[in-house]
Each structure stands twice: as C-alpha cells, then as structure tokens.
C-alpha cells in the first residue's frame, strides 16, 4: 500500500523545452518569437497545421494559449507573435535570445486546407488576428499553385499598429496576391490606403463568392460585421471560416474554460465553419 | 449469488484494508457523514446521501501534477489501490460520465491512474435519501446498471451482493460471504428495485426544460434574473458529480516548486476572461446559463453512459445553494415562466 508516485510517458500536460532563436519587436508590446526545440529535433516531428496553437509554459507564471504564426512549409523555426498583455506574456517578454521556456502542442483543429485548396482565398484579419492567419497565408504562398486567387484584407486601429509590416510591404512586389489594408483612424494623415473599418475594404474590390472561401480572425467585435458583409455579398455560410479566441487553459478539451456551447474551442476549434457556431449565441 | 450478514460488514472492510485503501462513510463530528478512510469506530451504514460526491477520489480538489526543480518538470501521478464502499447510484453514474469525458480524445493520466486503481462498490438506495433526490428522472438510480464491481442490496439483516466484474467477484470469495439461491435472490432484488424506483418522485420539469433549452425558448433575461440571485460561491459545481472543470497554477520560488491543478467553475467571472480582459461570458446570468445548459442541453449528444443528461439527479446543488437556484428550483421556475408561452 501507500501512495504510488510513478513517472509515466505520454502525459498530455508535460511541456517540451524550447529556446528563443530570435526575438523580433513588431510594434509596441508585440514581438515575434522564433523558437527551436531544445533537444535538437526538428519542427517536422512537431507536425503542426496552419491555424493550430500551442500552450506556452513559464514555470511560476502558468500557461497560456498562443497561436502559431509560421506555416509547416517553413520549419527552421516555429514562430509565435505575442502581445504583452497578461502575466505569462509579460514574463515571456523578459526572455532574450537563447532563453529557454516550455511549450505543449500543437493543439486544435486548424484551417481546413483540403477544403480550401483549389479555391480562391479571402483572408480577413484585424489587429493581432493576423498572427494565426499568417500561418495559412504563408502556407498558401509557399504552395501557390494549389490555390486560386489569394486576397488579404488587414485592418488595424492606426498606422502605428501594423504587424508584419515588412512582409506586408513585400507583397507590393508580387502579382499573385491581392492585398487591401485599412486603418480605423489616421490622425496624422500618413496612411496611403483605406481609412475606416475593415469591412469598408469590401467596397474596394470585386469578389466572386461562389468559388471563394473567406477565413477571418480578429477582435471579438469584428466577426459579426464581417460575416454580415460576406452573407450580403452572397457568400454561402459554409464558405465562411472563423478562428476564435478563448481562454484555452489545458488545450486538450478537459479543463472546461474554452467551452462554446457544446464545443470546445481548443479541440473542436479554434477554427470553425460558420454553420458550426451560427446557432451558439455566445460564440461570436 | 452471495450474501453477507450486516454484522459482518465491518470485518469485510477490515479484510479489504489489508490490500486496499478503503474509503467508506464514517460518522464524524456533528454526526456528519464523511466519505474517507475506514475507521472501525466511526464507520456507519446510516449515511443517507453524502454531502459530497466521490469525484475527489479521482479528481482531488487540488493535486500536484508536476514537481519542478530548476525549471525541469517531473510528473507526479498519484494513485493507490482503493475500494470505494457505499457509492450511491447517482454518484456511480457521475463517475461513469466523468471517466468517459476525461478519457475522450486525449487521456488524462492523473484521472485514469486513480480510476483504474479503484474498485467501485455501490449501495443501492431503497428510496429517496432526502427530498431533493430525483435519480429516476435522470435514469441514474436508485440502483446502478453498470460501472460497479459490486452492488449491495439492503434486505434488512443482510445484503445481497451483485457482481459486476472479475475484480468484484474475487473480493467476495472469502468465508464472510454465503452462497445463496440465485433465482430467489434475483426475485428479491427485482422487488427491491421496483419498490425503490417507485418511492422516488419523478420531476417531469427536467425533461420539459431540456426540451425548452434545446428549442432555444428560454431568453437571456430569464438567466439574468437567476444571475441577480447567484452569489457565485461555486458550491453547486463543487458538489456536482459531473463538474470536472479545473484550473492549473504554479506554486513557485526561484524556478522550483510545483504545478497544481484544482477545481474551478464556470460560475466564476474569471473562468472565461481572456488576458485582454475580454470576457465572452460577461454576466452572472450568462455563467449560470452555461452551467445549466451543460447539464441539460449541450452534452446530450455525447456519451451519457445510459443517463438522460449530464445531471445525475443527486439533488446536491439544490441541497447546498444558499439562494435556492439549484437545479430543482431552476427547472420549476423556467417551466412555470414558459409554460403558457
């Protein structure tokens, strides 16, 4: 008898050590962390899909869900774009190049690549919502032949808060992606593109709803307006996908924090088709 | 079939303690019945409905999951060969549903290590244990249909013992148990079950409110009214056999310490609040709605182990709620408010 303390493999809660390769400031309070696995193995074995997330673990500060920003087509490092906003992310920002912390994952159901392939792709991002969408965007660009037109609509609140600025600027040189950028306000009058909310961008371009899939991620207020816009343009409900944010504490469908009606954001999502969540009031 | 004299039950438990940690009802201070380690002087068969369900045997109120030394995580999986003696049928259903939930998709090693090491002995109820019992409505009592290793039926001077597993059968191979005529015993058990089931009042409002929730007729205003009363103590969730939500937190000093998980509940405002302070369930009404829709609506397509829903009819939330919005008062109120409309 007596309490049996044992060590066991395959514990879903056991985190894996990673270290910071580069720590790239983006905008105020936002950084892109490039990570490598400590024990020398590659991200290939990690085998994540665009739209999935990890649990970042810093002992003493807890764990928090962070979406993966890099695509599985670029496996040198795993990239996460983080806003300094809570206890864990504040601690993460204290860590420099070469520092070690822990992660678990990859978790969740990402973007439905097999459904999206062969179709036109409309990505609608607001603010930090670009972080998870970027994994899909770069994936599609790396496998450009597998997708029809790619259109990116990205809105931020002002010109100072544009994430991945240089990457977005680099699209100016490409003919195979359409990009439309907006800022809510431009008090200094420096913004050369659209000023207004992101839905305003829909009036700037022609879309063909029949063969386009719309995928979005942004602040809570954005979803309802963008979905309304898409439906009014004639998008079928099952051509609309959303990536949702919740307090996904465990990441494996056990702790209950991220439940949305009968679904768990961490295992059934974070990417949902609109019909899956349409009737769940608390979803968006 | 076997039977055991009631007077021999203490010896049976003593025998079991040689090989197992035996948890059973003990009468303690204030005559409260607590389910904990067998103590001969305190053990009682007169325990009615225990104030707490038995989930803590698998899912402790708080539990160390990692010991951390210099930022290295060492997992701590505690389990012990245990017998739970005297489980009520509603709690057995709670264990079945929780085990199914904790092992779906990904297994939870902390839960399953304890679940696997535990022998479950059910004590069938001869009738309601207090005025809030409604297990016959939720298909979860007054006796267990499955999940148990042994099930005891109270026949006055003796217990008839139904075997549910090989492990259970081995437990009753000793001389304290008497072989009896199976046909005769089955008849007695059938009569016990019929009488017990008939003695427990049905709460038809449970089913009608489940239907209303499914059809989306209950408005948010109704929940907000309940929310006005709720003091967010979390009592209903902590006594609930199927509430298994948890939080994970670190107790740390200089990179060493422990990672702990502990009970949490959707009734707390911070449960869904994100780091940005955005809260998808911003009001107490929306949080109460979540808790009761979890029990009566959202999971009814999942593995219910034969139950009606994820409420097992134990009535404890009604027993403990200081402001009378346990499940019974709640379904009565909703059913009254929406009957005509």
């Amino acid at each position: 008898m007596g309490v049996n303390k044992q060590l066991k493999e395959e514990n879903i809660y056991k985190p894996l050590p990673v270290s910071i390769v580069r720590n790239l400031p983006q905008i105020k309070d936002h950084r892109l962390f490039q990570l490598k696995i400590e024990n020398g193995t590659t991200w290939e074995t990690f085998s994540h899909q665009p739209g999935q997330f990890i649990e970042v673990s810093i002992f003493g500060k807890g764990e928090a869900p962070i979406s993966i920003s890099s695509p599985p087509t670029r496996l040198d490092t795993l990239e996460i774009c983080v806003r300094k906003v809570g206890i864990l992310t504040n601690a993460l920002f204290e860590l420099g190049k070469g520092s070690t912390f822990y992660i678990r994952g990859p978790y969740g159901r990402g973007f439905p690549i097999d459904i999206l392939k062969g179709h036109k792709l409309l990505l609608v991002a607001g603010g930090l919502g670009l972080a998870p969408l970027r994994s899909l965007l770069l994936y599609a660009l790396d496998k450009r032949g597998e997708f029809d037109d790619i259109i990116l609509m990205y809105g931020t609140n002002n010109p100072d808060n544009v994430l991945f600025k240089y990457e977005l600027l680099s699209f100016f040189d490409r003919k195979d992606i359409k990009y439309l950028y907006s800022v809510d306000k431009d008090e200094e009058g420096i913004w050369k593109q659209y000023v207004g909310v992101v839905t305003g961008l829909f009036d700037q371009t022609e879309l063909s709803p029949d063969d386009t899939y719309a995928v979005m991620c942004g602040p809570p207020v954005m979803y309802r307006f963008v979905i309304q816009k898409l439906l009014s343009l004639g998008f079928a409900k099952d051509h609309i996908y959303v990536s949702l944010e919740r307090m996904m504490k465990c990441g494996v469908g056990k702790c209950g924090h991220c439940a949305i009606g009968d679904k768990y954001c961490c295992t059934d999502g974070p990417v949902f088709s609109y019909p899956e969540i349409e009737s769940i009031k608390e979803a968006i | 079939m076997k039977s055991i004299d009631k007077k021999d039950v203490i010896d049976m438990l003593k025998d079991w303690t040689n090989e197992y940690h035996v948890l059973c009802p003990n009468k303690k201070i204030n005559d409260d019945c607590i389910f904990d380690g067998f103590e001969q002087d305190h053990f009682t068969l007169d325990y009615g409905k225990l104030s707490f369900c038995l989930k803590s045997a698998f899912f402790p109120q708080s539990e160390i999951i990692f010991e951390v030394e210099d930022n290295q995580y060492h997992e701590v999986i505690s389990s012990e060969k245990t017998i739970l003696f005297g489980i009520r049928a509603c709690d057995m259903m709670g264990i079945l549903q929780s085990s199914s939930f904790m092992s779906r998709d990904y297994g939870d090693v902390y839960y399953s290590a304890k679940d696997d090491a535990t022998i479950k002995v059910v004590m069938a109820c001869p009738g309601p244990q207090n005025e809030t019992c409604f297990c016959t409505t939720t298909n979860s009592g007054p006796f267990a249909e499955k999940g148990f290793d042994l099930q005891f039926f109270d026949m006055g001077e003796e217990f008839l013992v139904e075997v549910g597993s090989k492990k259970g059968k081995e437990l009753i191979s000793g001389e304290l148990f008497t072989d009896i005529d199976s046909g005769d015993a089955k008849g007695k058990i059938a009569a016990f079950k019929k009488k017990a089931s008939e003695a427990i009042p049905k709460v038809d409002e449970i089913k009608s409110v489940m239907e209303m929730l499914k059809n989306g007729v209950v408005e948010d205003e109704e929940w907000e009214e309940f929310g006005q009363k709720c003091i967010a103590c979390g009592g209903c969730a902590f006594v609930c056999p199927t509430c298994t939500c948890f939080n994970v937190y670190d107790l740390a000093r200089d990179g060493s310490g422990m990672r702990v998980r502990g009970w949490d509940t959707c009734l707390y405002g911070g449960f869904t609040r994100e780091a940005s302070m955005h809260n998808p369930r911003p009001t107490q009404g929306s949080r109460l709605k979540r808790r009761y829709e979890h029990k009566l609506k959202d999971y009814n397509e999942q593995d219910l182990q034969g139950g009606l829903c994820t409420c097992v009819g134990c009535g404890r939330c009604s027993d403990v709620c200081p402001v009378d919005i346990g499940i019974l008062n709640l379904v009565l109120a909703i059913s009254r408010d929406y009957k005509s409309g």
Side-chain angles (χ1 to χ4, degrees):
Chain A
M1 238 170 71
V3 176
N4 170 26
K5 284 187 179 183
Q6 56 176 346
L7 291 178
K8 239 187 177 178
E9 294 299 318
E10 291 173 49
N11 182 341
I12 47 175
Y13 303 107
K14 180 143 193 178
L16 172 84
V18 294
S19 60
I20 299 172
V21 179
R22 271 180 226 92
N23 166 345
L24 307 163
Q26 289 277 324
I27 55 174
K28 184 177 181 291
D29 291 339
H30 291 64
R31 281 186 198 166
L32 185 73
F33 293 87
Q34 297 183 321
L35 311 175
K36 70 168 184 183
I37 302 180
E38 277 279 272
N39 63 16
T41 56
T42 66
W43 291 109
E44 213 158 350
T45 47
F46 195 71
S47 67
H48 77 280
Q49 293 298 308
Q52 286 191 300
F53 68 97
I54 55 174
E55 291 286 341
V56 170
S57 189
I58 296 177
F59 185 65
K61 307 296 175 186
E63 296 186 299
I66 307 282
S67 56
I68 300 170
S69 285
S70 57
T73 43
R74 304 181 187 187
L75 292 168
D76 292 347
T77 60
L78 191 84
E79 295 179 336
I80 52 174
C81 185
V82 182
R83 169 165 48 194
K84 190 170 83 164
V85 63
I87 295 167
L88 180 113
T89 49
N90 266 284
L92 186 61
F93 272 57
E94 297 291 314
L95 301 179
K97 185 180 170 179
S99 299
T100 299
F101 63 95
Y102 285 72
I103 65 167
R104 295 190 284 120
Y107 292 134
R109 187 179 60 163
F111 298 107
I113 299 289
D114 289 340
I115 293 173
L116 304 180
K117 267 184 189 166
H119 295 276
K120 295 189 171 98
L121 216 50
L122 168 64
L123 308 175
V124 186
L128 188 54
L130 185 57
L133 279 183
R134 178 176 176 264
S135 66
L136 175 64
L137 175 65
L138 298 185
Y139 178 89
L141 290 176
D142 288 347
K143 298 199 174 237
R144 192 61 193 85
E146 294 181 12
F147 296 85
D148 198 344
D149 293 353
I150 298 173
I151 306 162
L152 170 67
M153 291 183 178
Y154 178 45
T156 59
N157 49 2
N158 68 57
D160 290 335
N161 284 341
V162 178
L163 287 165
F164 302 104
K165 211 168 284 173
Y166 296 103
E167 225 161 71
L168 298 184
L169 285 170
S170 76
F171 297 154
F172 289 177
D173 301 328
R174 291 183 77 138
K175 297 274 180 285
D176 58 355
I177 171 169
K178 233 192 226 177
Y179 46 83
L180 296 148
Y181 306 144
S182 71
V183 293
D184 296 350
K185 275 186 190 151
D186 176 28
E187 280 170 1
E188 291 167 31
I190 55 169
W191 190 248
K192 300 274 192 293
Q193 295 218 353
Y194 182 77
V195 179
V197 292
V198 73
T199 42
L201 294 174
F202 284 89
D203 303 327
Q204 314 279 309
T205 186
E206 284 286 311
L207 296 169
S208 51
D210 290 345
D211 55 353
T212 304
Y213 278 92
V215 175
M216 76 191 76
C217 188
V221 63
M222 193 191 89
Y223 294 91
R224 205 162 298 151
F225 291 108
V226 173
I227 289 169
Q228 265 170 20
K229 193 81 196 176
L230 291 166
L231 294 174
S232 73
L233 289 170
F235 274 79
K237 286 177 179 174
D238 63 359
H239 275 226
I240 301 173
Y241 283 87
V242 297
S243 175
L244 298 182
E245 184 178 31
R246 283 296 185 278
M247 209 271 243
M248 300 180 285
K249 188 81 200 175
C250 75
V252 288
K254 306 289 182 208
C255 77
H257 288 253
C258 72
I260 303 172
D262 62 346
K263 311 225 169 359
Y264 283 85
C265 193
C266 68
T267 50
D268 298 315
V271 176
F272 294 96
S273 73
Y274 180 52
E276 286 177 305
I277 49 129
E278 186 189 359
S279 63
I280 305 174
K281 250 187 181 173
E282 66 175 9
I284 52 173
Chain B
M1 183 82 68
K2 295 210 180 197
S3 70
I4 182 168
D5 278 355
K6 267 191 185 169
K7 61 176 172 43
D8 291 333
V9 165
I10 286 199
D11 286 335
M12 171 194 81
L13 294 172
K14 269 204 275 191
D15 278 357
W16 289 354
T17 55
N18 291 330
E19 213 183 321
Y20 295 92
H21 182 51
V22 176
L23 296 173
C24 59
N26 292 303
K27 201 161 256 185
K28 293 284 184 68
I29 192 162
N30 275 342
D31 270 358
D32 282 344
C33 285
I34 311 282
F35 207 88
D36 60 4
F38 169 70
E39 289 174 52
Q40 191 169 346
D41 297 340
H42 293 288
F43 170 74
T44 179
L45 282 167
D46 174 28
Y47 60 94
K49 178 184 359 178
L50 294 156
S51 327
F52 293 102
C53 68
L54 307 177
K55 67 180 170 190
S56 58
F58 315 102
F59 176 57
Q61 189 170 7
S62 70
E63 174 178 27
I64 299 166
I65 59 173
F66 291 102
E67 278 171 0
V68 183
E69 231 175 65
D70 299 330
N71 285 311
Q72 304 284 314
Y73 292 78
H74 308 285
E75 53 201 326
V76 182
I77 299 170
S78 309
S79 72
E80 192 174 3
K81 279 177 75 177
T82 301
I83 292 175
L84 298 181
F85 175 80
I87 305 171
R88 295 299 185 189
C90 52
D91 290 342
M92 186 66 237
M93 177 58 82
I95 292 170
L96 280 169
Q97 289 188 355
S98 300
S99 301
S100 164
F101 175 79
M102 291 304 255
S103 59
R104 67 171 198 162
D105 302 336
Y106 300 89
D108 182 296
V109 289
Y110 302 99
Y111 188 97
S112 63
K114 293 184 244 319
D115 194 11
D116 294 346
T118 301
I119 289 180
K120 290 112 187 161
V121 182
V122 169
M123 179 68 72
C125 289
Q129 299 301 323
N130 72 356
E131 67 286 357
T132 60
C133 287
F134 61 101
C135 58
T136 50
T137 306
T138 50
N139 303 338
S140 47
F143 48 88
E145 301 275 10
K146 60 172 181 173
F148 57 88
D149 295 281
L150 292 173
Q151 178 159 232
F152 279 46
F153 292 90
D154 188 342
M155 293 294 154
E157 297 299 309
E158 59 174 5
F159 289 111
L160 297 183
V161 185
E162 182 185 3
V163 172
S165 75
K166 200 167 156 258
K167 274 191 282 184
K169 196 175 177 182
E170 283 163 13
L171 268 187
I172 57 166
S173 57
E175 54 195 29
L176 289 172
F177 295 86
T178 318
D179 280 310
I180 50 164
D181 179 73
S182 276
D184 188 31
K186 275 181 187 159
K188 280 185 184 167
I189 288 176
F192 177 100
K193 287 181 173 177
K194 186 167 182 289
K195 199 175 160 205
S197 298
E198 284 168 2
I200 295 168
K202 290 260 186 192
V203 182
D204 295 331
E205 287 85 354
I206 291 281
K207 282 180 188 164
S208 53
V209 169
M210 281 172 71
E211 201 58 29
M212 288 174 191
L213 294 176
K214 192 175 162 190
N215 297 331
V217 299
V218 183
E219 293 146 306
D220 287 350
E221 289 73 27
E222 180 85 354
W223 292 108
E224 293 306 333
E225 274 192 42
F226 296 127
Q228 300 276 330
K229 291 178 79 180
C230 180
I231 58 167
C233 66
C236 53
F238 298 142
V239 298
C240 178
T242 61
C243 272
T244 53
C245 284
F246 60 83
N247 197 11
V248 177
Y249 52 95
D250 296 340
L251 300 174
R253 178 176 287 177
D254 303 330
S256 293
M258 54 193 107
R259 176 158 288 173
V260 180
R261 83 167 171 196
W263 293 354
D264 201 350
T265 168
C266 57
L267 293 161
Y268 292 161
F271 189 74
T272 50
R273 191 176 58 228
E274 295 156 24
S276 65
M277 299 309 274
H278 170 68
N279 194 341
R281 277 186 222 126
T283 62
Q284 198 56 25
S286 64
R287 298 188 272 269
L288 264 179
K289 177 182 173 186
R290 162 64 192 169
R291 186 176 132 72
Y292 284 109
E293 286 201 339
H294 181 185
K295 302 299 160 192
L296 299 174
K297 174 188 161 209
D298 285 337
Y299 292 92
N300 295 343
E301 306 298 316
Q302 314 241 356
D303 180 17
L304 295 173
Q305 298 286 322
L308 174 75
C309 53
T310 56
C311 169
V312 299
C314 72
R316 287 191 182 91
C317 53
S318 288
D319 292 339
V320 303
C321 183
V323 291
D324 294 332
I325 46 173
I327 196 156
L328 289 168
N329 280 332
L330 191 112
V331 296
L332 291 179
I334 292 178
S335 132
R336 194 176 54 234
D337 293 349
Y338 286 89
K339 199 152 231 167
S340 49

